[in-house]
Amino acid sequence: MPNLLCVCNFPANTGFAWDFIESLYANVADRLAPSGIHTYVAYPEIASPPRPLSGSVAEPVTLSVTPARGPALEPVLRFIRENDIEVLYLTDFPTWSWAYPAMRHAGVRRIVVHDHVSGEFERPHGVKRLLKTLLMRSPSLVADQVIAVSDFVATRQREVGCFPDRRLVRIWNGLTPTASNPDCAGRAHSQFGIDPCRPLVMSTCRAAKYKGVHHLLRAFDSLLAGWRDPVLPVLVYAGDGPDMEYFRQLHQSLPSRDHMILAGYRSDARELVASADVCVIPSLWAEACPLAVLEPMMAERPIVASAVGGIPELVLDSETGLLVPPGDEPALARAIARLITNQDLARQLAAAARRRAVESFSFNAQIDALVAVMAQCFDLPVMPPLTAQT
């Protein structure tokens, strides 16, 4: 039978958003299995069984798949031949590669690239654009299908990548809707020893400057400087990464540092978000379709976020949250204060965010759409959708 090879360009159990990508592979594998399609998931390194594949029919294998040619590609070509791989499902790989013709020669019939990449890139012009457009029409060098995680990413593929629109599909990221969990109420307050009367502002993201955490710290400091209510809000930031030391030093330099907690990496971040009074996503760069926005939406939490990348597709300004210009600290402070002081507005936006998330960004809907792409690649009949979630 023809089989599917899904590729992870990171070691097993790396965590963070990579778990989400592996869960997509696992669910697609389980949906294809009744049709006789076996799914392999390739990792460059497997130190322990991949957690996101637990319980799935997907089979993890140690195989380093890169877009490079030469000796590094030989084990991949051999694996393709020996395991009847007809469809290659790549995440965040280039839309074209000199390696793709060799993979096709080894037996691959369809190459699908799932583009989760954030960031903006320069649009080519003149001769460069013409040459890139011609390159994208080369059937052997270019992926057969590109899946964009947002309209922002799809537009970037068309305008910057010159990828043909007819082979491009937008499938938003999704999360499983969960019922309101009373156990989450007050969780963050109790975890950090915060008075339950104090409003709690929460932000969870990688500790990198492009995530805008330093702007959030300064904005919150300025907010407290002008705060008139005797009950002060508190900020909790959960995350780790290359700029964590810089954030710690900035935190210590601020007058309101005693009212901000830098919690580091938290495995229970999703539960903490569900208990926050306001959730903030202060990104500076063009996020593709961030789970950090979808999580508070699903948890029915009021949101303040930067108007960059695909975020405005998720957060509709003044309808499902508040959007501010990236890096605008006064606007960020005002938006946070507005949601803390106007609880009716906060509840209204949070409820609308939850409805939009359930209707447009459910995990089942994402899997249905991905399976439809794969079914087409394998020439399978249309598969019935998963049971709707509420």
Side-chain angles (χ1 to χ4, degrees):
M1 291 295 297
N3 296 314
L4 171 66
L5 177 61
C6 303
V7 176
C8 298
N9 47 18
F10 48 86
N13 299 317
T14 298
F16 299 101
W18 290 278
D19 280 355
F20 176 75
I21 291 170
E22 294 166 79
S23 72
L24 298 180
Y25 291 162
N27 280 270
V28 167
D30 292 343
R31 291 285 301 281
L32 293 177
S35 298
I37 307 297
H38 185 68
T39 300
Y40 299 93
V41 180
Y43 297 87
E45 179 183 339
I46 303 177
S48 57
R51 291 186 303 270
L53 301 190
S54 177
S56 168
V57 299
E59 180 181 346
V61 295
T62 303
L63 182 67
S64 181
V65 181
T66 72
R69 293 183 295 173
L73 193 59
E74 286 305 318
V76 178
L77 302 180
R78 184 166 57 251
F79 186 91
I80 290 171
R81 288 190 293 265
E82 292 175 354
N83 294 280
D84 298 317
I85 302 300
E86 284 201 5
V87 178
L88 197 58
Y89 180 7
L90 308 166
T91 294
D92 296 343
F93 269 64
T95 53
W96 76 275
S97 169
W98 296 112
Y100 293 166
M103 293 174 175
R104 296 183 192 279
H105 185 71
V108 171
R109 292 177 53 243
R110 296 284 188 275
I111 296 174
V112 178
V113 171
H114 201 159
D115 187 357
H116 296 254
V117 175
S118 297
E120 295 194 59
F121 304 93
E122 185 179 355
R123 185 179 186 271
H125 297 279
V127 175
K128 186 176 180 181
R129 184 169 188 83
L130 174 61
L131 292 175
K132 201 166 187 178
T133 301
L134 292 174
L135 174 64
M136 288 298 113
R137 270 62 180 175
S138 173
S140 62
L141 287 171
V142 180
D144 299 278
Q145 185 104 50
V146 169
I147 301 169
V149 296
S150 63
D151 291 327
F152 163 74
V153 173
T155 299
R156 188 182 63 199
Q157 280 286 351
R158 283 190 294 266
E159 297 299 318
V160 178
C162 302
F163 194 80
D165 191 61
R166 60 187 173 81
R167 288 156 54 192
L168 181 64
V169 60
R170 189 268 289 142
I171 301 175
W172 277 318
N173 284 337
L175 291 177
T176 301
T178 55
S180 178
N181 185 358
D183 294 336
C184 285
R187 181 186 180 99
H189 286 81
S190 62
Q191 284 286 312
F192 300 109
I194 300 167
D195 186 324
C197 294
R198 299 183 66 183
L200 191 146
V201 179
M202 186 90 195
S203 182
T204 61
C205 63
R206 192 164 188 254
K209 290 181 182 178
Y210 59 78
K211 291 293 187 177
V213 177
H214 50 309
H215 291 297
L216 173 59
L217 295 177
R218 286 195 290 258
F220 193 78
D221 183 69
S222 68
L223 181 153
L224 290 191
W227 198 258
R228 297 292 176 259
D229 194 301
V231 180
L232 293 174
V234 60
L235 170 68
V236 175
Y237 163 66
D240 201 359
D243 293 321
M244 191 62 182
E245 185 56 33
Y246 168 76
F247 295 151
R248 288 195 183 101
Q249 292 177 9
L250 173 62
H251 168 243
Q252 287 302 306
S253 72
L254 297 172
S256 303
R257 58 184 174 273
D258 292 340
H259 305 289
M260 306 180 205
I261 298 171
L262 272 58
Y265 171 74
R266 298 282 305 203
S267 60
D268 61 345
R270 195 168 181 179
E271 289 77 17
L272 296 176
V273 163
S275 70
D277 294 289
V278 178
C279 294
V280 184
I281 302 90
S283 289
L284 299 179
W285 77 335
E287 301 276 2
C289 187
L291 299 180
V293 173
L294 289 178
E295 286 172 353
M297 288 179 70
M298 281 294 184
E300 202 168 325
R301 298 291 85 200
I303 297 168
V304 175
S306 298
V308 289
I311 291 178
E313 297 173 43
L314 281 61
V315 179
L316 307 181
D317 190 29
S318 299
E319 293 183 35
T320 62
L322 299 180
L323 293 177
V324 298
D328 189 333
E329 294 172 12
L332 188 58
R334 287 194 299 271
I336 295 170
R338 186 181 174 195
L339 292 182
I340 292 174
T341 58
N342 189 338
Q343 294 191 16
D344 287 341
L345 174 65
R347 282 192 290 268
Q348 174 187 330
L349 295 178
R354 162 77 179 189
R355 288 194 298 271
R356 177 164 171 75
V358 171
E359 292 169 2
S360 301
F361 305 104
S362 80
F363 188 72
N364 276 1
Q366 184 182 15
I367 296 302
D368 285 341
L370 292 176
V371 168
V373 170
M374 296 301 156
Q376 188 176 35
C377 289
F378 283 106
D379 298 322
L380 298 174
V382 177
M383 295 185 178
L386 293 167
T387 303
Q389 295 175 324
T390 57

